[in-house]
Amino acid sequence: MVYLTTDLIAKSKKHFKKKKGLSLSEYLQSLTHLYFSSRNIQDIGDLSLCRNLTVLYLYDNQISHIHNLSFASNLTHLYLQNNNIVHIDDLSNLHKLSKLYLGGNRIAVVEGLERLCELTELHLENQRLTQEEKLLFDPKTLLTLAGSLCVLKIDNNNIDEIPDLAVLKELQYFSAAGNKLHNIEELEDVLSHWPQLLQMDLNGNPVCKTTKYRDRLIVVCERLETLDGKEINELTRQFLIKWKESKQTRQNRHKMLAGPSIPTSKSLLLDSYECIIFTLHY
């Protein structure tokens, strides 16, 4: 088993060159970036001497558990995509973490992020799930991320609904391509809670086949610049918004002119009959 330890760092040719004039302890304390991607690493050992670490690259390895990172209180970027991680653990002390990359793992529940109040980007695409599984979000984690998260990427995770994500009011980029979203009304409701949204990709979802899908979402997201990889023309947006307003005005006027409905003799007869039956029953 390959462990990421201070000994492995010391033996690394790339890092050894940078060690000139410093003891190993001094060098480890001076480290801000650590590059150990694609090294068949299966576990993270004691790296507590690297207390000034801000960026850690561990993607494309064989890591199954996140641990021994509680020392890294200065970490801002963590790259753990394409490993074998099942649970999100040991991140509660990473108060400065702003970007977290966990795509291509085996995560079924997004949790354990309740203390990451500065997280702005969360990448969770392409989890290796069974057909019966879908990516779920812990409500406590969502409430924490509501005030900071700007980028969320959850492509290809068997997701069929997203009402819980409505709390993420600061989202600017949302990608959920290749999922199973199908309810346009639910989607419109969620998007109405994301006033900052600028880019969105829902390619490959059943909802994309809904009549006037694109028009409806453009009207709901008044700041959206790109939908499914296609830019939104501002003139088109304004036309759709005015068309919707005009349609609503016509509907309201029609209701006013129609007035209250007058019951027909047939409906009065049915009401009387139901009243008699009700009285006899009781």
Side-chain angles (χ1 to χ4, degrees), residues 24-89:
L24 177 59
S25 177
E26 290 172 332
Y27 171 68
L28 292 173
Q29 291 177 40
S30 70
L31 272 178
T32 58
H33 291 60
L34 196 56
Y35 302 87
F36 274 90
S37 57
S38 304
R39 299 287 291 271
N40 292 316
I41 293 169
Q42 295 167 286
D43 207 349
I44 303 170
D46 182 7
L47 300 176
S48 55
L49 285 174
C50 307
R51 57 176 176 265
N52 289 309
L53 206 60
T54 58
V55 181
L56 179 57
Y57 295 94
L58 288 174
Y59 58 86
D60 296 338
N61 281 299
Q62 302 297 321
I63 297 167
S64 57
H65 295 91
I66 306 173
H67 59 179
N68 290 329
L69 290 179
S70 58
F71 74 93
S73 58
N74 291 307
L75 203 66
T76 60
H77 294 58
L78 179 57
Y79 296 82
L80 283 167
Q81 62 267 44
N82 301 325
N83 279 281
N84 293 314
I85 298 165
V86 177
H87 300 292
I88 304 175
D89 300 306

